Amino acid sequence: MKFRPLRGLTAVAVASALVLAGCSSDNKEDEKENPTPSQSSSQPSNADLTPTTPEDAKILEGVTFTAGKDGKAPTDIKVDADLTKLSTTAARVVVPGEGEEILNGDYLTANMSSVDKDGKITESTYDMKAPGTLINSGIQTVPQIVRALEGQKVGAWLTFGIPPQEADEATGAPASEGGLVIIEIVDTQRPWATGTDKKVDDASLPKVTLDEAHKPSIEIPKDYKGTDELQVVVLKEGDGATLTEESYLHAHYTGWQIDGSQFDSSWDSQTGLPTPFPLNGVIKGWTEGLSGQKLGSQVLLIIPGDMGYGEGTGFDEQNRPLGDLIFVVDLIATN
């Protein structure tokens, strides 16, 4: 499936409170200076996330609407609610979904409509025909939305309310009057490759196996010598959008040296989530090897040293492994 960020929806309710895919890094230019993707935030469990209080949920009960059908925006919106009384951001499921179950960490395709106090839609992804992407994680999306989506299914409709906010000198955030957003969960994507398995019979290649959590491990052939040129092997073929060198990719990955020593893995990061990065801001073997691949795919990359961190043995001054490298990369989403 193709994921798109929520572009153009600039209502303060969304811009200041919803952390959308593509906004998980404050400075993409900084990421281009690091040839390896990385994560640093700690991933909280849902039990640690702040739920919407009963009092705030009661306020949101004053927001009613008729859910749209076949990709249409909600209608008959009535706002009999005083959002200025909200204690903090709040979310409430108005219409349960009937589709696939939503899991923690999923990438959610969502339509969103910013609504004023009179129930008028002021901005909407329906008008742009471009749903946004929400990562169902407490470090990527406001906790109240993640908690509201517990046990929910695709097709659910939510109301999301934000009280007025004072200016924050520390962050530079301006004061706002608060706002209201109606959210429709259109689809979900697991945070691992979901493409079709491809048969690989080449015994000269490292053998990849997955554990129950979909994390890869490899078995190196005896007397393995690495490679003189980039090798790209599709292990699972997705049916999503095709990557280009200009893509900003969300991917799970693990990297090994040719002796089988693991040196990096998003699966083992503090968040345990796929990592976002610009495809033209990483090592050459990634840029060339992943360009042209489709979202939903899992790809084995065997990269010569001159397309990685340099030829040689051991590690460079930045503690990056030299010589040939092996990666297994799950292509999750772009924006």
Side-chain angles (χ1 to χ4, degrees), residues 7 13 24 49-50 97 102 162 178 192 213 218 229 242 279-280 307 314:
R7 301 192 188 281
S24 53
L49 301 180
T50 304
I102 296 169
I162 305 166
W192 55 77
I218 60 169
E229 58 184 25
T242 300
L279 193 51
N280 61 6
M307 296 184 73

Side-chain angles (χ1 to χ4, degrees), residues 186-199:
V186 177
D187 207 344
T188 187
Q189 166 70 48
R190 303 294 185 236
W192 55 77
T194 56
T196 303
D197 289 334
K198 304 292 288 184
K199 190 173 183 179

Side-chain angles (χ1 to χ4, degrees), residues 246-283:
E246 302 303 316
S247 295
Y248 193 81
L249 177 64
H250 295 248
H252 254 322
Y253 70 94
T254 301
W256 300 267
Q257 295 174 279
I258 62 170
D259 64 359
S261 300
Q262 179 183 311
F263 64 87
D264 195 11
S265 179
S266 61
W267 297 90
D268 296 335
S269 68
Q270 289 179 307
T271 68
L273 292 172
T275 301
F277 57 91
L279 193 51
N280 61 6
V282 288
I283 58 176

Side-chain angles (χ1 to χ4, degrees), residues 64-66 73-79 119:
T64 60
F65 59 87
T66 299
T75 58
D76 303 322
I77 303 170
K78 295 180 175 57
V79 184

Side-chain angles (χ1 to χ4, degrees), residues 6 21 41 43 57 68 76 80 105 107 110 122 157 180 183 192 196 207 209 231 247 282 284 333:
L6 189 61
S41 301
Q43 165 74 356
D76 303 322
D80 187 15
Y107 281 62
T122 56
W157 290 73
L180 173 69
I183 304 171
W192 55 77
T196 303
K207 181 180 179 182
T209 58
Q231 293 179 266
S247 295
V282 288
K284 187 176 180 181

Side-chain angles (χ1 to χ4, degrees), residues 6-84:
L6 189 61
R7 301 192 188 281
L9 190 54
T10 57
V12 69
V14 176
S16 64
L18 286 180
V19 182
L20 302 176
C23 299
S24 53
S25 170
D26 292 331
N27 192 337
K28 294 181 183 179
E29 291 303 317
D30 288 345
E31 293 180 25
K32 290 186 178 183
E33 298 176 2
N34 297 310
T36 51
S38 63
Q39 294 180 315
S40 59
S41 301
S42 186
Q43 165 74 356
S45 68
N46 277 8
D48 298 326
L49 301 180
T50 304
T52 296
T53 66
E55 295 78 12
D56 287 347
K58 185 68 175 177
I59 293 172
L60 287 183
E61 287 179 7
V63 179
T64 60
F65 59 87
T66 299
K69 295 182 179 180
D70 300 324
K72 299 295 180 65
T75 58
D76 303 322
I77 303 170
K78 295 180 175 57
V79 184
D80 187 15
D82 186 355
L83 300 181
T84 65

Side-chain angles (χ1 to χ4, degrees), residues 28-305:
K28 294 181 183 179
E29 291 303 317
D30 288 345
E31 293 180 25
K32 290 186 178 183
E33 298 176 2
N34 297 310
T36 51
S38 63
Q39 294 180 315
S40 59
S41 301
S42 186
Q43 165 74 356
S45 68
N46 277 8
D48 298 326
L49 301 180
T50 304
T52 296
T53 66
E55 295 78 12
D56 287 347
K58 185 68 175 177
I59 293 172
L60 287 183
E61 287 179 7
V63 179
T64 60
F65 59 87
T66 299
K69 295 182 179 180
D70 300 324
K72 299 295 180 65
T75 58
D76 303 322
I77 303 170
K78 295 180 175 57
V79 184
D80 187 15
D82 186 355
L83 300 181
T84 65
K85 299 292 181 63
L86 290 173
S87 62
T88 185
T89 55
R92 174 176 176 265
V93 174
V94 179
V95 181
E98 298 180 352
E100 187 174 2
E101 183 180 1
I102 296 169
L103 302 181
N104 192 42
D106 278 2
Y107 281 62
L108 306 176
T109 304
N111 270 313
M112 305 185 193
S113 301
S114 182
V115 178
D116 66 19
K117 63 181 180 179
D118 298 318
K120 179 182 177 181
I121 295 177
T122 56
E123 293 183 90
S124 174
T125 59
Y126 297 97
D127 296 335
M128 295 182 284
K129 299 186 185 332
T133 301
L134 288 174
I135 304 176
N136 191 40
S137 158
I139 65 169
Q140 300 284 356
T141 304
V142 290
Q144 289 82 358
I145 289 180
V146 178
R147 289 298 297 269
L149 288 173
E150 282 184 333
Q152 296 297 323
K153 298 179 179 181
V154 170
W157 290 73
L158 301 82
T159 51
F160 176 62
I162 305 166
Q165 300 174 24
E166 296 181 356
D168 189 331
E169 294 183 1
T171 64
S176 74
E177 297 180 355
L180 173 69
V181 181
I182 296 176
I183 304 171
E184 177 194 9
I185 306 300
V186 177
D187 207 344
T188 187
Q189 166 70 48
R190 303 294 185 236
W192 55 77
T194 56
T196 303
D197 289 334
K198 304 292 288 184
K199 190 173 183 179
V200 180
D201 289 327
D202 191 343
S204 69
L205 295 174
K207 181 180 179 182
V208 178
T209 58
L210 307 178
D211 65 14
E212 292 183 354
H214 303 274
K215 177 185 174 181
S217 60
I218 60 169
E219 181 180 342
I220 304 294
K222 185 179 179 179
D223 299 325
Y224 186 65
K225 301 299 183 183
T227 185
D228 293 326
E229 58 184 25
L230 177 66
Q231 293 179 266
V232 181
V233 182
V234 177
L235 304 176
K236 295 177 181 287
E237 186 169 13
D239 60 0
T242 300
L243 300 179
T244 71
E245 291 190 4
E246 302 303 316
S247 295
Y248 193 81
L249 177 64
H250 295 248
H252 254 322
Y253 70 94
T254 301
W256 300 267
Q257 295 174 279
I258 62 170
D259 64 359
S261 300
Q262 179 183 311
F263 64 87
D264 195 11
S265 179
S266 61
W267 297 90
D268 296 335
S269 68
Q270 289 179 307
T271 68
L273 292 172
T275 301
F277 57 91
L279 193 51
N280 61 6
V282 288
I283 58 176
K284 187 176 180 181
W286 274 52
T287 304
E288 293 190 11
L290 298 180
S291 296
Q293 303 297 331
K294 294 181 179 180
L295 291 181
S297 298
Q298 182 180 74
V299 181
L300 170 67
L301 298 176
I302 305 173
I303 300 174

